[in-house]
Amino acid sequence: MSQRMNIPEHIAIIMDGNGRWAEQHGKPRNYGHSAGVDSLRKITAECARIGVKYLTVYAFSTENWNRPAEEVRLLMELVISSLDNSLFDDNNIRFRCIGDRKRLPKDVQDTLLGLEERTKEYKRMTITVALSYSSRWELTDCMQKIAAQVEAGTLKASDITEQTIIDNMNSGFQPDPDLLIRTGGDIRISNYMLWQIAYSELYFTPIYWPDFNEDELKKAIEYFNTKQRRFGKTEEQVEKGL
């Protein structure tokens, strides 16, 4: 990766195409999910190496609970096995998780909590796994927390700001993504970080997630570098640093 390349502080990824990749190779869908975990490990290590500070990946949505029970069971087993590795220790990576944990099996909840505790002092990069997550769930949960504060008299409705919402969101501990990558060919957001990606650059690729490697990541970052991020300002203002 070129030293002159502007590296996004926060990359979010919708890891799509595992099942279709497996079918393309004449394998069961779970084979694709296992291959997807291998890709995640490689991309996580590469992001840490090039200087990304936050990586957030969409692993399992609230809608995915509607998949066949056997596939869900195998996915949950894969979550546990995939987190039992030295990736975080070797690369000084902190692990976080966002999503509706109450719906997860107890052993998965325990594994997540244990890994968060074990890696909490790691500083090089934070990887956040969105598990049993959807943006509508997160926003609903956020509104319920704020409403409870108003009801308790600790917050006035008139004092609610954008920062109040951020502070009460499950993912409020990290900055908004600079770059959102979706693999698998579909051009949609699929209920993922809808609040947070208001000004993210969006990169869609037909590459299935198991085939998304370091070179494909470089292409996404090169695309990011072609964009001038104005946040409502004019091009002239941005160029003058106003």
Side-chain angles (χ1 to χ4, degrees), residues 160-218:
I160 296 173
T161 64
E162 286 190 12
Q163 191 59 49
T164 307
I165 295 172
I166 293 169
D167 291 342
N168 284 276
M169 293 181 79
N170 205 221
S171 59
F173 56 86
Q174 59 187 4
D176 291 341
D178 302 293
L179 172 65
L180 170 69
I181 299 169
R182 179 173 186 143
T183 64
D186 289 325
I187 302 177
R188 56 174 176 263
I189 304 303
S190 296
N191 207 356
Y192 184 48
M193 303 188 81
L194 299 179
W195 171 281
Q196 298 92 330
I197 63 169
Y199 279 101
S200 301
E201 302 301 333
L202 308 182
Y203 179 82
F204 298 95
T205 173
I207 300 295
Y208 292 147
W209 176 246
D211 288 330
F212 191 87
N213 56 24
E214 294 89 342
D215 287 339
E216 294 299 329
L217 176 65
K218 181 180 178 181

Side-chain angles (χ1 to χ4, degrees), residues 61-117:
S61 73
T62 54
E63 291 85 359
N64 287 155
W65 289 112
N66 296 320
R67 291 190 176 186
E70 178 64 10
E71 181 173 348
V72 171
R73 183 186 67 80
L74 291 171
L75 280 169
M76 290 299 109
E77 291 178 358
L78 188 59
V79 167
I80 293 178
S81 63
S82 67
L83 296 177
D84 185 21
N85 64 81
S86 60
L87 173 67
F88 310 101
D89 299 325
D90 292 346
N91 294 280
N92 194 23
I93 295 172
R94 183 177 185 179
F95 174 84
R96 302 291 296 265
C97 179
I98 56 175
D100 187 2
R101 301 194 193 199
K102 298 188 296 294
R103 299 186 68 178
L104 297 171
K106 182 62 164 55
D107 55 345
V108 174
Q109 293 185 41
D110 291 343
T111 299
L112 297 173
L113 284 171
L115 188 56
E116 285 179 321
E117 178 64 24

Side-chain angles (χ1 to χ4, degrees), residues 1 7 39-52 55 87 91 93 124-125 213-215 217-218 221:
M1 191 86 54
I7 302 300
S39 291
L40 177 57
R41 289 170 176 161
K42 293 175 184 176
I43 294 302
T44 300
E46 179 67 3
C47 283
R49 186 189 72 81
I50 65 176
V52 174
L55 174 65
L87 173 67
N91 294 280
I93 295 172
R124 187 180 188 186
M125 188 181 81
N213 56 24
E214 294 89 342
D215 287 339
L217 176 65
K218 181 180 178 181
I221 295 176

